Amino acid sequence: AQKVTQAQTEISVVEKEDVTLDCVYETRDTTYYLFWYKQPPSGELVFLIRRNSFDEQNEISGRYSWNFQKSTSSFNFTITASQVVDSAVYFCALSEAQPGGYQKVTFGIGTKLQVIP
Amino acid sequence: DAGVTQSPTHLIKTRGQQVTLRCSPKSGHDTVSWYQQALGQGPQFIFQYYEEEERQRGNFPDRFSGHQFPNYSSELNVNALLLGDSALYLCASSLVRSSYNSPLHFGNGTRLTVT
């Protein structure tokens, strides 16, 4: 069974601080995908990044960076120089192939990030 | 390029009633998934539709049913509503040929309150 753990339920930082959101996953599959989504107060989940299980290269996109470590089953997300607009709930998610090739995504509980001006 | 649209945005129902939620997928997408997100929780997978058939289902009772139409839009029906069904219901669309590596595109959700 697949499982995603986000141990930090709420984090508060002051604007311009760096913050790291942790994600630990469990899966029996060797092939899977990991995602991060952002959910602002409007409710819509917005896709941020996708990483497959064979690609452990870290990725940087502007102020965002992701660290994938298969050895520790972790896929952590860092925001550098946080801004008030980063305030949202962030979800880590795991996708495994299902019979027939369909998709079933398991989400973590989410980390609510508050950036204080 | 229209994204995922859901209706209604808010709904208030009484215990025991039935409700229907609607979703139109992103243009070009053929697969619709439904998720339930209780307050303070992550989205929980309900089921997924492709070619008008339910292809996968999460741990939800038979009171939750769905339908997909030839134009790929979808409905989620919940019968005999319980207080615990109060949640944000999210619709997500994707392309089946992209399989499980495809990011989901979500709508803004329908906030259902059961009193």
Side-chain angles (χ1 to χ4, degrees):
Chain A
Q2 52 193 67
K3 183 179 177 183
V4 176
T5 301
Q6 294 180 256
Q8 308 147 306
T9 53
E10 289 194 41
I11 300 177
S12 288
V13 298
V14 176
E15 200 171 20
K16 297 184 183 176
E17 284 184 346
D18 298 347
V19 58
T20 296
L21 310 182
D22 297 333
C23 172
V24 174
Y25 63 93
E26 292 177 30
T27 177
R28 295 178 193 159
D29 281 10
T30 55
T31 304
Y32 50 88
Y33 278 79
L34 295 163
F35 301 83
W36 275 94
Y37 288 86
K38 175 182 180 180
Q39 187 177 39
S42 62
E44 176 184 355
L45 273 82
V46 177
F47 164 72
L48 295 177
I49 191 172
R50 168 184 58 197
R51 173 67 71 231
N52 75 54
S53 52
F54 298 107
D55 181 4
E56 290 195 67
Q57 235 182 356
N58 293 330
E59 181 158 339
I60 298 174
S61 175
R63 296 184 298 107
Y64 296 170
S65 63
W66 291 268
N67 180 283
F68 174 36
Q69 291 194 341
K70 209 166 174 179
S71 60
T72 57
S73 297
S74 64
F75 185 42
N76 297 336
F77 172 30
T78 297
I79 301 175
T80 302
S82 59
Q83 299 176 2
V84 173
V85 293
D86 296 327
S87 297
V89 182
Y90 291 85
F91 292 96
C92 181
L94 168 66
S95 178
E96 297 173 328
Q98 301 295 313
Y102 299 107
Q103 181 182 54
K104 180 179 176 182
V105 181
T106 299
F107 287 83
I109 196 171
T111 297
K112 183 176 181 181
L113 173 64
Q114 183 179 19
V115 181
I116 303 165
Chain B
D1 182 19
V4 179
T5 58
Q6 292 186 242
S7 64
T9 53
H10 292 85
L11 208 48
I12 300 175
K13 290 286 188 178
T14 304
R15 271 181 302 176
Q17 285 188 319
Q18 177 264 345
V19 68
T20 297
L21 311 182
R22 296 177 175 83
C23 171
S24 291
K26 177 181 167 66
S27 178
H29 283 183
D30 54 15
T31 303
V32 172
S33 302
W34 286 92
Y35 288 80
Q36 180 195 66
Q37 185 179 12
L39 198 62
Q41 301 295 316
Q44 298 291 315
F45 175 73
I46 302 175
F47 42 53
Q48 181 181 64
Y49 276 83
Y50 171 67
E51 288 189 334
E52 303 177 50
E53 288 190 20
E54 182 182 296
R55 300 295 178 170
Q56 289 193 95
R57 189 178 184 92
N59 285 334
F60 280 81
D62 292 344
R63 299 187 297 108
F64 289 76
S65 63
H67 190 77
Q68 185 181 34
F69 300 94
N71 66 353
Y72 307 119
S73 67
S74 177
E75 288 181 351
L76 163 65
N77 301 294
V78 187
N79 295 323
L81 284 166
L82 303 174
L83 294 179
D85 295 331
S86 296
L88 179 67
Y89 288 85
L90 294 162
C91 172
S93 71
S94 58
L95 273 171
V96 72
R97 67 169 181 267
S98 299
S99 190
Y100 64 101
N101 63 9
S102 175
L104 295 170
H105 293 256
F106 284 87
N108 285 339
T110 294
R111 172 73 64 187
L112 172 65
T113 302
V114 182
T115 62

